[in-house]
Amino acid sequence: MKSRHDPDYNYAYLDEATKRMIRRALLKAIAVPGYQVPFASREMPLARGWGTGGIQITAAIIGPEDTLKVIDQGADDTTNAISIRRFFARVTGVAETEDTRAASIIQTRHRIPEEPLQEGQILVYQVPLPEPLRKLVPSEQETRKMHAWAEYGPIYVRLYEDIAHSGHVTSTYSHPVIVNDRFLTCPTPIPKFDNPKMDMSPALQLFGAGREKRIYAIPPYTKVKSLDFEDHPFEVQRWDQPCALCGSDTSYLDEVIINDAGERMFVCSDSHYCESRRAQGHTGPQLEKAKAIHLAGAQT
Amino acid sequence: MYLAVKGGEAAIDATHKLLSETRRGNVDVPELDCVQLREQMSLLIARVMNEGALYDPDLAALALKQAQGDVIEAAFLLRAYRTTLSRFGSSLPLDTAKMHIRRRVSATFKDLPGGQVLGSTYDYTHRLFDFSLTASGDRAEATVAPAPLSETMPRVLDILGAEDLIESETPEDGDPAPEDITRDPISFPAERAARLQSLTRGDEGFLLGLAYSVQRGYGHNHPFAGEIRVGDAAVCFAPEELGFEIELGDITLTECQMINQFTGSKNAPPQFTRGYGLVFGHNERKAMSMAVVDRALKTDKFGETPAYPAQQQEFVLYHSDAVEAAGFLEHLKLPHYVDFQGELELVRRMRAEQGGEPE
């Protein structure tokens, strides 16, 4: 089907020279997995820090045959996800989907879908702070040297200090990884729950940091190792109850406060995954109650 | 009564309608006209054009109307529009000595070739309300000078430069095209052209604060305003296919050159050093702040040890852009359920492992 975009704008908003510049940065990023490639990030009609890096990457790679899914915090129906999806619908006219399997490009803020990704799919991350060493060293000049020399001792010291102080590695999201046994890389603010999904993923993973002007990538089937110690192995978050709506006991759960008394419910953050499980007949312990308060059921 | 949030699509539509109503305000009051804004809010227009990095008074006026007067939001609209424009080339360097001067003052010389030209300024007004403006205030007629100003007005610092008393600023060999920060990301140490571009686009308030810190002790430099000039300069362009230059039009600019004391170092004899500011429109505070910060950032040239925020390139250049800063700050309004859930889970687990109750 031919896509129709707003004729007042160039296809995918950015001009062709800019898209070519971004594609070149992407090729370099893919060739050197985990390395942060500087790029001339453009102003977009969305605030810096609201996902302009991911949007620029999507704009640079999207074509009329693509099917786009946009998620924010795992959900297709949050305002930011809808706003970005609408933007691309207007400037590209491509097909939109909420179905993880049907999407050729998935732009994400904060989650990797629960549904395993496939070969040929591209996951585009919106990255706020691409530099995993930033909290240790405020200077870009210094951190780039540390990457060049693979001088990653200080980050292990930081993790060690966490364990010494609190008995745990206290990172909960953006837990640093080593990509392809070489570059210390920030996995964006995805919860560390999702880190294992990055390892040997059949999908291409692209990361765009618009405000910080960096692009990096993890090609398909690339080793991604979350930092840890032999006696303190990497662990992900766990919940002691399943999703209230679909009963999944393997997905990342969001906590939802459901009334003034502070009563809460835990539900899948991946809205499409949760909905498709319910469509398959899975039910969680509080599905009826959730329907009663419009938390599940009728689509808007 | 709390209702769980769902249905972002309808919410967005509704909020856009509400915004439109809010922007318009009371419909019994006549609607603002963009032309009125352009003509009567010209200092604000200049600020928006600088921080929006685009010289277009009409679009700046529209941006202000659309943004309900929010400067950063208006600059953001201009920047987003600027992105969509294709670039057909770079103008020739502007010659500010040939500016059509509207105002030109020097704080270092009582009189100088070309003279002091006060022009239009609030500097000598008493800051008392003019209540006649609440009605349709009559405007005074400007006095016409007996003779026109000179076509060319020498720059004050060139006069000092002729005596070799001030740091020279001669172009490098071959006069390379300056780095363009909208086409190449800044790398550090940043070259001066990139620094100046960043400062011109930087937030006026932020640069003002930095400049103040330099003056007040966090940078030990109390400069002199060598010259501030406001006027119109011609923008010339030489298309490759024509082989000669054509004049595209005039733009209004404010230029400031600051003079700083310098007692010399291993590599440089005692002389004055300079800081430079150039901005769109009439915007003296910004041009002056920029000039002070520009000098503060020249630490490596004069063998100074950067010790204060205004002397640190990365600090100044990464944080002065209000459009970028506002975006990142305001993203905190977006949901963070996922991260927060991770934190909650960790805190609960750590508390449970500690036995639940503090001693």
Side-chain angles (χ1 to χ4, degrees), chain A residues 13 40 42-44 46-48 50 73 77 86 110 140-141 168 213 239 252-253 255 257 260 300, chain B residues 2 6-7 13 76 79-80 83 182-183 189 201 314 324 327-328 330 335 337-339 341-342 348 353:
Chain A
Y13 190 75
R42 299 291 198 262
E43 273 85 11
M44 300 299 287
L46 197 86
R48 295 275 198 177
W50 290 56
Q73 308 278 308
D77 59 357
R86 276 189 173 183
H110 284 217
E140 181 75 14
Q141 236 170 328
H168 285 279
K213 305 175 181 65
W239 287 262
Y252 193 96
L253 303 182
E255 188 165 327
I257 313 268
D260 294 346
T300 45
Chain B
Y2 182 88
K6 194 79 178 163
D13 285 332
F76 180 9
R79 293 248 195 126
T83 300
T182 67
R183 289 298 183 265
R201 290 155 60 104
E314 286 202 22
E324 294 187 354
F328 198 55
E330 293 188 45
Y337 324 131
V338 164
D339 326 19
Q341 185 54 223
R348 284 191 181 124
E353 282 173 16

Side-chain angles (χ1 to χ4, degrees), chain B residues 28-345:
Chain B
D28 294 329
V29 176
E31 190 176 349
L32 263 179
D33 187 330
C34 290
V35 182
Q36 291 174 326
L37 283 169
R38 187 194 67 201
E39 293 302 312
Q40 296 171 42
M41 293 274 155
S42 56
L43 299 180
L44 185 55
I45 297 283
R47 180 165 179 184
V48 169
M49 293 195 301
N50 279 312
E51 292 173 38
L54 185 71
Y55 191 94
D56 191 325
D58 290 304
L59 277 180
L62 173 60
L64 274 169
K65 178 174 173 177
Q66 190 176 329
Q68 296 172 264
D70 181 330
V71 175
I72 296 177
E73 185 68 26
F76 180 9
L77 281 165
L78 274 193
R79 293 248 195 126
Y81 178 74
R82 183 187 193 279
T83 300
T84 67
L85 304 174
S86 61
R87 177 167 308 198
F88 62 86
S90 302
S91 77
L92 297 168
L94 300 179
D95 187 354
T96 51
K98 289 190 190 144
M99 258 175 144
H100 291 284
I101 296 290
R102 291 191 216 159
R103 171 164 160 79
R104 186 261 200 139
V105 291
S106 170
T108 50
F109 296 101
K110 187 168 188 223
D111 204 358
L112 60 161
Q116 303 265 16
V117 182
L118 272 190
S120 125
T121 176
Y122 285 101
D123 286 353
Y124 303 99
T125 60
H126 295 142
R127 267 60 175 220
L128 301 173
F129 277 118
D130 177 357
F131 288 107
S132 74
L133 289 174
T134 57
S136 53
D138 284 342
R139 76 168 192 162
E141 287 275 347
T143 317
V144 178
L149 290 174
S150 162
E151 284 283 305
T152 58
M153 193 79 87
R155 283 176 293 235
V156 174
L157 269 69
D158 294 345
I159 300 166
L160 279 176
E163 283 188 71
D164 207 18
L165 287 177
I166 191 158
E167 162 205 358
S168 68
E169 279 191 333
T170 41
E172 289 174 52
D173 287 345
D175 195 8
E179 232 174 64
D180 180 345
I181 61 164
T182 67
R183 289 298 183 265
D184 293 299
I186 290 181
S187 58
F188 291 96
E191 69 167 58
R192 184 143 176 263
R195 298 190 325 237
L196 291 172
Q197 287 167 55
S198 285
L199 294 176
T200 298
R201 290 155 60 104
D203 180 67
E204 191 180 300
F206 184 80
L207 294 184
L208 172 66
L210 282 177
Y212 181 41
S213 77
V214 169
Q215 277 181 276
R216 225 181 129 254
Y218 292 82
H220 48 75
N221 227 324
H222 195 103
F224 302 97
E227 181 178 14
I228 295 156
R229 59 167 67 201
V230 181
D232 295 336
V235 179
C236 295
F237 181 68
E240 258 179 43
E241 60 272 31
L242 286 186
F244 54 87
E245 66 181 78
I246 49 177
E247 203 176 292
L248 299 181
D250 285 346
I251 60 173
T252 305
L253 295 168
T254 304
E255 184 183 55
C256 171
Q257 301 226 47
M258 287 284 179
I259 301 174
N260 296 256
Q261 285 171 314
F262 182 66
T263 51
S265 72
K266 265 185 260 174
N267 348 317
Q271 60 180 175
F272 292 111
T273 57
R274 58 173 109 198
Y276 186 75
L278 182 73
V279 298
F280 289 146
H282 189 169
N283 202 342
E284 294 171 36
R285 194 187 298 125
K286 172 74 174 283
M288 293 173 73
S289 302
M290 178 180 170
V292 172
V293 176
D294 170 50
R295 170 60 187 88
L297 290 174
K298 284 181 171 180
T299 51
D300 48 1
K301 184 170 178 186
F302 298 108
E304 298 164 333
T305 308
Y308 303 108
Q311 296 172 315
Q312 288 160 4
Q313 287 193 11
E314 286 202 22
F315 183 86
V316 173
L317 302 188
Y318 271 149
H319 302 118
S320 58
D321 191 309
V323 175
E324 294 187 354
F328 198 55
L329 181 91
E330 293 188 45
H331 104 284
L332 297 174
K333 290 184 276 192
L334 294 175
H336 284 75
Y337 324 131
V338 164
D339 326 19
F340 189 66
Q341 185 54 223
E343 301 271 15
L344 265 180
E345 188 275 336

Side-chain angles (χ1 to χ4, degrees), chain A residues 124-265:
Chain A
V124 177
Y125 296 76
Q126 306 171 189
V127 180
L129 296 162
E131 179 48 74
L133 297 167
R134 176 65 71 244
K135 282 182 191 157
L136 301 175
V137 185
S139 162
E140 181 75 14
Q141 236 170 328
E142 285 306 311
T143 53
R144 287 186 81 79
K145 275 185 207 160
M146 290 168 78
H147 285 296
W149 296 331
E151 188 187 303
Y152 296 142
I155 192 99
Y156 281 100
V157 172
R158 183 191 165 85
L159 296 183
Y160 169 78
E161 284 173 346
D162 273 358
I163 294 166
H165 286 147
S166 60
H168 285 279
V169 171
T170 55
S171 71
T172 53
Y173 53 89
S174 228
H175 183 89
V177 296
I178 296 277
V179 172
N180 199 30
D181 295 321
R182 174 60 180 85
F183 279 103
L184 182 72
T185 302
C186 175
T188 84
I190 60 168
K192 63 182 178 182
F193 180 89
D194 283 336
N195 276 23
K197 296 179 195 163
M198 305 177 93
D199 184 35
M200 300 304 284
S201 170
L204 169 61
Q205 301 174 75
L206 304 176
F207 301 77
R211 190 182 43 80
E212 295 277 336
K213 305 175 181 65
R214 296 289 183 272
I215 281 172
Y216 51 103
I218 301 173
Y221 301 110
T222 300
K223 191 173 158 191
V224 177
K225 165 105 177 92
S226 299
L227 295 195
D228 64 353
F229 298 101
E230 275 175 26
D231 51 348
H232 278 89
F234 176 78
E235 290 182 336
V236 300
Q237 291 97 336
R238 296 179 307 269
W239 287 262
D240 51 15
Q241 53 188 296
C243 169
L245 308 182
C246 77
S248 167
D249 56 7
T250 57
S251 54
Y252 193 96
L253 303 182
D254 279 339
E255 188 165 327
V256 184
I257 313 268
I258 54 174
N259 61 27
D260 294 346
E263 202 183 334
R264 57 204 71 215
M265 204 179 262

